[in-house]
Amino acid sequence: MLLQVLGTAAGGGLPQWNCACPGCTGARAHPERRRRHASLAVRVGERRWYVVNATPDIGEQIEGATELHPGPGARQTPVAGVVLTDAELDHTLGIARLREARDGVDVVGTSPVLDAVRERLGLDAVLGPYTPVRWRELPGGAGRPLDGESGITVSAVPLSAKKPRYAANSPDSSGYWSVALRLHDSGTGRTLLYAPALAVWSDAFDEAAHDADCVFVDGTFWDDEEPLRSGFSTRTATGMGHLPITGPGGSADRLARLPGRCLYTHLNNTNPLGDPHAEQHKLLTERGIEVAAERMVIEL
Ligand code: MLT
Ligand code: MN
Ligand code: ZN
């Protein structure tokens, strides 16, 4: 399985357009610190890729990855579709940017997530006149083939019932609002687990994480108080549905016990890890945990 990291930041990106926090100011001064919204491309065949989460940066993210460039025919794209982990705006607004797709686009997501983007965001009615969107349900359990004969299956590991604010009054309260994606390649036997929003380290997630060869995990906040301390929120990290990296029950201790390769993604602009010189990196290095880098390529 070939993976191309397209972005590693939480909502807003790094820097965020209206933010002058130390992290965003640092990224303006040091362009190598810039991070686009968290996303990943997965190869499913010869010049055929799916993008995990469609961010507001998707156009630039495709431009930044030569494997995703169009051709040889005019308007012929290797981007076959999108797989969603949740319906949050930072993971779904990019679907609208794919409206030029000549042959339409597949959007794979769990049923509450597809309902939210189709009906609440209105993307079904809005995109219909531009391009055919094929909405495909993402199941739990054994999952479904991601793309024809690729040998890659995708399934959802339910994580939490946290809904995007624009869908707060939805009657659905299943754990399929926010899921981890489990991508399994039957050709190599390798498994990727991708969880950019992890509210709780559940037993089911722990089991899936132990089975995976590579795990991308929610690295939004370094500690639980970070959003309060930075002054941009009245909620803790946990209160916002993001298990912090450190502190009681933090994800770093859990990741250190996993057999596979572990990387943090979805870093908020307040996260000290955005500064490559921050002392916090030492704690992760000691535990064998990585911070996903922009445009990194992983061959699983
Ligand atoms: C999140 O990661 O919690 C969401 O993206 C928050 C938001 O954008 O409102
Ligand atoms: Mn987010
Ligand atoms: Zn900022």
Side-chain angles (χ1 to χ4, degrees), residues 11 90-91 266:
D90 53 337
H91 295 159
H266 197 272

Side-chain angles (χ1 to χ4, degrees), residues 9-11 86 88 90-91 196-197 220 242 266:
D86 54 65
E88 296 289 350
D90 53 337
H91 295 159
T220 312
H242 295 288
H266 197 272

Side-chain angles (χ1 to χ4, degrees), residues 71-92:
R75 304 287 159 89
Q76 187 182 355
T77 173
V79 178
V82 168
V83 190
L84 302 173
T85 58
D86 54 65
E88 296 289 350
L89 293 178
D90 53 337
H91 295 159
T92 55

Side-chain angles (χ1 to χ4, degrees), residues 48-64:
R48 201 164 161 84
W49 294 75
Y50 273 73
V51 175
V52 175
N53 289 332
T55 87
D57 299 322
I58 193 166
E60 292 75 24
Q61 288 172 318
I62 289 170
E63 282 307 309

Side-chain angles (χ1 to χ4, degrees), residues 81-135:
V82 168
V83 190
L84 302 173
T85 58
D86 54 65
E88 296 289 350
L89 293 178
D90 53 337
H91 295 159
T92 55
L93 284 179
I95 299 170
R97 284 196 73 181
L98 302 178
R99 71 183 177 100
E100 295 91 355
R102 187 193 60 187
D103 303 320
V105 64
D106 278 13
V107 178
V108 184
T110 64
S111 107
V113 166
L114 291 189
D115 282 353
V117 296
R118 294 179 72 169
E119 307 302 333
R120 306 244 171 190
L121 275 188
L123 290 184
D124 212 358
V126 165
L127 285 175
Y130 296 88
T131 194
V133 183
R134 294 173 294 271
W135 306 98

